[in-house]
Amino acid sequence: MKPYFYIGGLLFLALCLFIGNLFWGSVSIPASAVWDICLGNEVEKSSWSYIVLQSRFPQAVTAFFAGAALAVSGLMLQTAFNNPLAGPSILGINSGASLGVALVMLFLGGSLGSLGSFALSGTMAVLAGAFIGAVLILGIIILFSTIVRSNVMLLIVGIMVGYITSSAISLLNFFATAENVFSYTLWGMGDFSGISVERLPFFCIAVTVGLVLSLLLIKPLNALLLGERYAENLGVNVRRVRIVLLLTTGLLTAVVTAFCGPVSFIGLTVPHIARLVLGSSNHKILLPVTILIGAVIALICNLLCVLPGEAGIIPLNAITPVLGAPVIIYVIVNQKKIQYFN
């Protein structure tokens, strides 16, 4: 009953935070008006309906799905590499997606040109660039994981790859126009408000596909906890699992990074929060709890980004490290006492 209690409690908390995101924003709207808008009733100002339905609602949905996607990506990478510090940002996957976006926005002018009778431009070009960049970096990390056996050395390789991509991005920024640099800088700060109602279904469907694939990997991930040789003895096709994990993590990271920017710490921190709450590394319960905690943390961050009154909204990546870094420090300092490390 305990796991179901956690899942039920997290669902209730996520619902409360989701509703809170509808009521709280940089523009002051009476709670009664927000409630009427949710019920489909007319309110005093039409602008209030637009803010709640066209801005706050898609932003809350984006935060929910983005947090879940980044959290489960971090969990799968930590299990696959047997490294508690693995994550989309630490291993350079976010940097790879950022480099792909930088190439599209700073070098190619926001377009990938014509592909046959089709042309990718705008958001779709950014999405394609982010996906290709994320998958390429993940592929490099997977390749090095077959060569480098030390988890610490593999982590260093990931950090070095991140430095190389950051260097390339700096060069692209230097030669790009001021307008393109400004657009890329805003994108890089992280934001859950960049998805319109029209684009929201595509984002939700893409993330849902990735989450479903991650749920299908529960048994192989549990087997990998015992090591690759034990997993193979249990009948797990490790090579196939790696490919599916690569594509799943690449899809989730690329979609979120393309639409929301390189959001930091959620993918690294949330799996540890879930393990600390459960005291277990069993993915049968750990993975769904990680998904829900990721959604909850992202919704909390979205609320904290809104300054009191009408002072504006601060960047998302100014909030996530404040919540995430203390958890990682705690895990590192107390890893000998933490049950799931033993």
Side-chain angles (χ1 to χ4, degrees), residues 135-156:
V135 170
L136 284 177
I137 296 300
L138 254 178
I140 292 172
I141 298 301
I142 291 289
L143 175 63
F144 274 104
S145 71
T146 62
I147 302 171
V148 180
R149 294 300 177 184
S150 170
N151 290 329
V152 175
M153 292 299 104
L154 184 61
L155 179 63
I156 293 174

Side-chain angles (χ1 to χ4, degrees), residues 62-84:
T62 301
F64 183 94
F65 278 89
L70 293 174
V72 80
S73 295
L75 175 61
M76 290 192 293
L77 289 172
Q78 288 172 13
T79 301
F81 291 111
N82 191 26
N83 192 323

Side-chain angles (χ1 to χ4, degrees), residues 109-135:
S111 173
L112 289 178
S114 298
L115 299 174
S117 58
F118 299 96
L120 289 176
S121 60
T123 302
M124 293 305 298
V126 171
L127 177 61
F131 182 74
I132 293 170
V135 170

Side-chain angles (χ1 to χ4, degrees), residues 100-101 103-106 108-113 119-130 187 194 199 202 258-259:
V101 173
L103 286 169
V104 172
M105 296 179 69
L106 303 177
L108 300 176
S111 173
L112 289 178
L120 289 176
S121 60
T123 302
M124 293 305 298
V126 171
L127 177 61
W187 173 85
R199 292 171 180 168
F202 173 80
F259 283 107

